[in-house]
Amino acid sequence: MGKIIKNAVLGLLVVAFIVFAGVMMNRSTKLLEHWAYPTEYSETVEEKSAEYGVPLSVIYAVIRTESGFDPNAESWVGARGLMQITKDSHDWIDYYRKESTGTWDDMYVPEVNIDYGTWLLSYLYREFGEWETVYAAYNAGPNAVKKWLEDPEYSTDGKTLYNIPYEETSKYREKVSTYRKGYQKVYGYD
């Protein structure tokens, strides 16, 4: 009888260990996913997402790709902040909106930078209507993308880019798309 009880207890311990290990692995996976797909500045991102109609997953994917969530990031061409706004883009956005919500030096301020970057994504989406094309325009500029869309070597329908002549822009679009899918999977964002 003692051997039966001993085996039953051992069996229960094995089952408990397996359940515990499964729970811990699930928690570890969730922690790793959240680490890989951060959501810093969520209050501002959520506010600007609602204001400009840009999906949260797109904003986070662009920030992740552009700066890795470093508000002090600066590119080799002088783009600044989380969403890597260039001086020309900053000035154009101010001119187009007929207002300035931040100076050029404010592009290091997360709230201001996210406002400019999200507004620009919204503008580009109204212009092109497809996020994959928007990513290319955010990286290479809308004028380059317009030319590519008119060229059958790059677009067969004038709306979707099937081929991108700039390797940097092609890789950029792929990265943003991958990160967006990650944010959608991990957080259930749109």
Side-chain angles (χ1 to χ4, degrees), residues 66-81:
E66 289 287 355
S67 68
F69 288 85
D70 177 2
N72 297 311
E74 188 165 327
S75 76
W76 63 275
V77 295
R80 293 180 174 181

Side-chain angles (χ1 to χ4, degrees), residues 3-4 7 17-18 48 62 66 76 80-81 84 89 95 104 107 110 113 125 145 148 163 171 176 187:
K3 191 172 186 177
I4 294 173
N7 285 340
F17 175 77
I18 291 170
K48 296 307 171 183
V62 168
E66 289 287 355
W76 63 275
R80 293 180 174 181
Q84 291 292 279
S89 292
Y95 174 80
W104 173 234
M107 289 304 101
N113 191 278
Y125 187 77
V145 169
W148 300 339
N163 188 16
K171 287 180 179 179
V176 176
Y187 298 101

Side-chain angles (χ1 to χ4, degrees), residues 3 16 46 59 65 71 85 134 136 140 147 149 151 155 160 166:
K3 191 172 186 177
E46 289 172 15
I59 300 168
T65 303
I85 304 299
V134 168
K147 288 178 187 172
L149 289 171
D151 189 333
S155 176
T160 307
Y166 296 175

Side-chain angles (χ1 to χ4, degrees), residues 16-182:
F17 175 77
I18 291 170
V19 169
F20 175 77
V23 167
M24 293 311 292
M25 285 180 63
N26 188 39
R27 282 190 179 165
S28 295
T29 300
K30 291 279 185 218
L31 286 172
L32 286 173
E33 286 176 337
H34 287 220
W35 177 78
Y37 296 97
T39 56
E40 294 174 57
Y41 313 104
S42 60
E43 187 175 316
T44 302
V45 170
E46 289 172 15
E47 176 188 327
K48 296 307 171 183
S49 170
E51 183 176 348
Y52 298 125
V54 177
L56 293 169
S57 59
V58 170
I59 300 168
Y60 283 124
V62 168
I63 293 172
R64 174 81 170 82
T65 303
E66 289 287 355
S67 68
F69 288 85
D70 177 2
N72 297 311
E74 188 165 327
S75 76
W76 63 275
V77 295
R80 293 180 174 181
L82 292 169
M83 298 185 79
Q84 291 292 279
I85 304 299
T86 64
K87 176 74 167 123
D88 288 343
S89 292
H90 169 270
D91 293 346
W92 180 83
I93 291 167
D94 279 351
Y95 174 80
Y96 192 86
R97 293 199 295 192
K98 296 177 179 40
E99 68 174 330
S100 178
T101 55
T103 67
W104 173 234
D105 287 335
D106 288 337
M107 289 304 101
Y108 294 114
V109 177
E111 295 78 13
V112 178
N113 191 278
I114 291 169
D115 176 62
Y116 276 75
T118 306
W119 183 91
L120 182 56
L121 288 167
S122 176
Y123 173 87
L124 293 171
Y125 187 77
R126 288 190 309 273
E127 179 81 22
F128 296 108
E130 290 194 13
W131 287 114
E132 297 283 322
T133 306
V134 168
Y135 308 151
Y138 195 89
N139 181 262
N143 292 333
V145 169
K146 286 176 189 174
K147 288 178 187 172
W148 300 339
L149 289 171
E150 294 170 357
D151 189 333
E153 183 178 349
Y154 308 119
S155 176
T156 57
D157 63 3
K159 190 173 182 170
T160 307
L161 290 170
Y162 297 103
N163 188 16
I164 297 176
Y166 296 175
E167 183 178 353
E168 176 190 332
T169 300
S170 181
K171 287 180 179 179
Y172 177 85
R173 180 176 76 168
E174 188 177 314
K175 269 186 179 179
V176 176
S177 294
T178 299
Y179 287 140
R180 182 179 187 200
K181 288 174 189 165

